[in-house]
Amino acid sequence: DFKESRFGFKKIEKFRAKFLLESISDLKKNLKKLNISLIITHEDLGSSINKVVNKYQIDNIYLQREWTRDEIIQEKNIPNDVNLIRDFDQFMYSPNDVSEIYENIPRGFSNFRKKCEKLLTIRDILPCPKQLDIHNQIDEVFDVPSLPDLGFENFEVHEDSVFKFSGGENSGINRVKEYFFQYKNISKF
């Protein structure tokens, strides 16, 4: 994803790479508080996932359910003897619930939003996992790669840039609180 494709460009450029690295750093920090290790590699998924599954004797892999071509192709790299547990955990409304009220989702977001708000309820989120015993962590430490590790130069995002968002759960939660509740921007559209 970080190398030039046959089409002459990278699938992931510097802004997205920076956002992803910030997200991984935040995830690593939050998991560490729960005594959960994060295994990080930027090698080819096919070879790296097999190494990790074998080394740590992994039986189950939890992942969000995907439907897009590239993600489905990547899932085929996961060994067949591992139990995959997939869930739609990235949506405010379950796709199954939305499909019950829409045969064809309207193009305009405001109409879609208003109908969802009227007819659907947001499902309860899963609680944060409880902190595990300190011995749950593995001995090996995995560092988050840097932009130069991925073939990019370090850069600062201009203050007027539309890409000024920081990656990670904590930044995302702060952005949602600001956008929805502090400034009430969702009701302006």
Side-chain angles (χ1 to χ4, degrees):
D1 290 342
F2 302 104
K3 296 176 183 169
E4 193 171 291
S5 72
R6 63 186 172 136
F7 302 109
F9 58 87
K10 297 176 185 177
K11 184 173 181 179
I12 297 176
E13 274 294 347
K14 68 179 185 178
F15 288 101
R16 184 173 176 207
K18 184 177 189 311
F19 186 88
L20 288 172
L21 293 175
E22 291 166 349
S23 298
I24 293 167
S25 294
D26 195 51
L27 176 63
K28 183 178 179 178
K29 181 181 70 174
N30 290 341
L31 288 175
K32 185 175 174 101
K33 292 176 190 174
L34 299 171
N35 293 321
I36 299 172
S37 299
L38 181 62
I39 299 171
I40 302 167
T41 177
H42 60 278
E43 297 173 17
D44 172 73
L45 179 63
S47 60
S48 63
I49 194 144
N50 281 301
K51 289 178 197 172
V52 169
V53 164
N54 291 330
K55 182 174 184 175
Y56 297 104
Q57 300 173 347
I58 295 173
D59 297 320
N60 299 303
I61 295 179
Y62 294 80
L63 55 133
Q64 66 186 25
R65 183 174 297 277
E66 295 290 351
W67 59 93
T68 51
R69 183 199 63 180
D70 290 351
E71 285 73 14
I72 290 171
I73 290 170
Q74 288 288 31
E75 281 184 23
K76 292 178 181 175
N77 288 301
I78 299 172
N80 292 332
D81 58 340
V82 175
N83 184 32
L84 294 182
I85 301 152
R86 298 178 181 94
D87 190 25
F88 282 123
D89 65 348
Q90 70 268 46
F91 300 113
M92 185 175 289
Y93 298 113
S94 166
N96 297 329
D97 294 345
V98 172
S99 67
E100 288 179 19
I101 64 170
Y102 281 113
E103 283 186 28
N104 295 307
I105 295 177
R107 292 182 186 259
F109 175 72
S110 292
N111 292 334
F112 170 77
R113 176 184 58 83
K114 288 174 185 175
K115 192 168 184 180
C116 287
E117 287 173 346
K118 181 179 179 182
L119 299 174
L120 298 176
T121 57
I122 299 171
R123 294 183 181 195
D124 290 335
I125 59 171
L126 295 173
C128 184
K130 294 183 177 159
Q131 184 180 39
L132 299 174
D133 182 88
I134 189 78
H135 295 81
N136 180 69
Q137 295 186 54
I138 58 176
D139 293 333
E140 193 172 358
V141 177
F142 293 87
D143 294 322
V144 178
S146 65
L147 283 171
D149 291 336
L150 301 177
F152 301 104
E153 292 182 19
N154 287 317
F155 68 97
E156 293 296 321
V157 177
H158 190 274
E159 65 183 44
D160 295 330
S161 173
V162 295
F163 298 107
K164 60 185 172 191
F165 303 113
S166 298
E169 174 186 9
N170 296 321
S171 293
I173 289 169
N174 290 336
R175 174 70 176 141
V176 166
K177 286 179 182 176
E178 176 186 278
Y179 188 86
F180 286 92
F181 304 110
Q182 183 179 351
Y183 298 113
K184 300 185 187 323
N185 285 335
I186 194 72
S187 62
K188 296 176 184 174
F189 298 101

